[in-house]
Amino acid sequence: MLEHGGNLQQAAQQYGRPLADWLDISTGINPQHYPIPALEPSLFQRLPPVTESLHAAARAYYGCQHVLACAGSQAALQLLPTLRPPCRVAMPRTMYQEHAHAWQRTGHEIQFFEQTPDSRILQQSDVLLVCNPNNPTGHLYATDKLLDWHAQLATRGGWLVVDEAFMDTTPQHSLASHTGQAGLWVLRSLGKFFGLAGLRVGFLLGEPTALAQVESRLGPWSVTGPSQYIASLALADHAWQQHMRAELPAQSAQLSQLLNQHGLTPTGGTDLFQYVPHPQSLRLHQVLAKHGVWTRYFAAPAALRFGLASTQDWDRLDDALTLAINSLSD
């Protein structure tokens, strides 16, 4: 299993602090989750084929014509490499690691680049995969550039796969409306923006024949009935979405300002996290953990990712950062 944010059980055991006594900002998940409605018991009693209402809500929300619900975008991420024979796949070196893991374990050859593929990598690759915006660096790829890369790949049967897990606050940059073309895949998730990671609801956007192939491999009942019900409500709640699209950028800017005040300058981020390279990131991560603040540590390059804290936790984060920075001079 790869290392991920949100591994709070591990932190609690390692540092001997009860789960309830942690401020977990390691995931980039919206701390103000979509409100969970009362649920009818029948949702738990029936087998849950994916309903047309859920797909209709997703098509409307993402602005696409073809979509397939799955048990989180992780399920689609792991399945896509099985649809091609072993081939050459290019992706950024610093990115959500599950992508490389999924393609490598199914026999594909991975070539890494730092941020943007050059012409040689594009010409040599059968699949190009990026997170947009990138996790954890926050780098945002221009839509025109992505579509140009897709056009080059598609001429020889190649794919462009774009993971848009953190795109919801900036839908104008999404490739969702362009899906339906052969060789263009987009992954979306309800885990980050909606703060509903525990529902395990994601969507794969793509060309309909290819989506049918994925659906046949996923099998029946891939998304639970309660999850489908809540997801449909969240996707259709435009007022809540608009509120969050105003609220989250302000909170992320506040987080960036707080980090800067402590000499921790983010080099990138999204409306749900800030990314801070630092030569002593491991030390900072450990000291923050000793004070009950759990961050996402990256060893190469050395960096920390800070997710958003709830309003009542800002002072606690401020105090912990003071202690962590002071520890560097001890």
Side-chain angles (χ1 to χ4, degrees):
M1 297 287 288
L2 297 177
E3 188 83 7
H4 292 287
N7 52 342
L8 200 57
Q9 198 87 33
Q10 173 189 330
Q13 293 174 358
Q14 182 177 350
Y15 291 92
R17 182 183 290 267
L19 282 172
D21 195 24
W22 284 89
L23 169 56
D24 183 6
I25 54 172
S26 65
T27 62
I29 293 172
N30 184 358
Q32 306 165 83
H33 65 79
Y34 185 78
I36 305 299
L39 299 175
E40 291 291 335
S42 60
L43 289 171
F44 298 89
Q45 295 173 309
R46 295 192 297 262
L47 289 171
V50 176
T51 62
E52 171 55 26
S53 61
L54 175 59
H55 280 152
R59 288 194 297 268
Y61 176 76
Y62 295 121
C64 64
Q65 293 185 325
H66 310 286
V67 63
L68 177 64
C70 49
S73 56
Q74 181 72 27
L77 178 162
Q78 293 175 185
L79 195 149
L80 283 179
T82 70
L83 302 182
R84 295 186 68 103
C87 66
R88 297 162 298 182
V89 183
M91 63 185 72
R93 187 178 308 280
T94 303
M95 195 180 72
Y96 182 53
Q97 296 176 357
E98 288 286 348
H99 287 290
H101 185 59
W103 287 88
Q104 285 173 327
R105 71 182 181 187
T106 44
H108 300 277
E109 177 188 342
I110 309 296
Q111 183 171 8
F112 294 105
F113 53 87
E114 292 309 314
Q115 183 166 279
T116 302
D118 58 28
S119 58
R120 178 186 61 82
I121 289 176
L122 279 173
Q123 291 168 5
Q124 292 178 350
S125 300
D126 303 298
V127 175
L128 174 64
L129 200 155
V130 297
C131 292
N132 198 37
N134 190 35
N135 173 23
T137 67
H139 178 76
L140 186 68
Y141 295 92
T143 301
D144 290 347
K145 178 60 68 176
L146 291 171
L147 291 175
D148 176 60
W149 291 343
H150 168 253
Q152 294 182 53
L153 291 159
T155 58
R156 55 181 188 275
W159 288 359
L160 173 66
V161 181
V162 185
D163 183 343
E164 293 186 347
F166 288 96
M167 185 61 79
D168 293 75
T169 58
T170 54
Q172 68 274 19
H173 297 300
S174 173
L175 286 190
S177 64
H178 299 277
T179 56
Q181 307 175 55
L184 178 58
W185 300 95
V186 169
L187 299 122
R188 298 297 295 257
S189 170
L190 263 68
K192 309 302 184 183
F193 173 72
F194 290 96
L196 297 174
L199 288 189
R200 308 311 305 138
V201 178
F203 296 93
L204 183 62
L205 286 55
E207 186 270 327
T209 302
L211 285 177
Q213 186 180 9
V214 174
E215 185 175 22
S216 68
R217 297 197 180 198
L218 286 175
W221 317 307
S222 61
V223 182
T224 70
S227 292
Q228 290 189 50
Y229 177 73
I230 297 169
S232 296
L233 293 178
L235 291 167
D237 194 335
H238 303 298
W240 187 90
Q241 295 159 17
Q242 290 174 354
H243 173 70
M244 279 299 127
R245 288 191 177 118
E247 185 77 9
L248 292 175
Q251 291 184 13
S252 190
Q254 182 182 358
L255 174 61
S256 178
Q257 182 180 16
L258 177 62
L259 292 168
N260 272 295
Q261 288 172 359
H262 289 278
L264 299 173
T265 303
T267 61
T270 69
D271 293 329
L272 285 164
F273 65 80
Q274 293 293 323
Y275 178 70
V276 181
H278 195 282
Q280 298 189 66
S281 57
L282 178 58
R283 172 68 175 164
L284 289 170
H285 173 71
Q286 292 169 337
V287 175
L288 287 169
K290 289 178 181 178
H291 294 282
V293 176
W294 193 235
T295 56
R296 177 67 167 96
Y297 164 67
F298 298 92
L304 293 179
R305 186 184 65 196
F306 295 82
L308 301 183
S310 299
T311 303
Q312 65 270 22
D313 291 319
W314 281 106
D315 288 343
R316 179 179 179 181
L317 176 57
D318 190 5
D319 292 342
L321 286 169
T322 299
L323 294 167
I325 293 300
N326 289 340
S327 75
L328 298 183
S329 58
D330 291 347

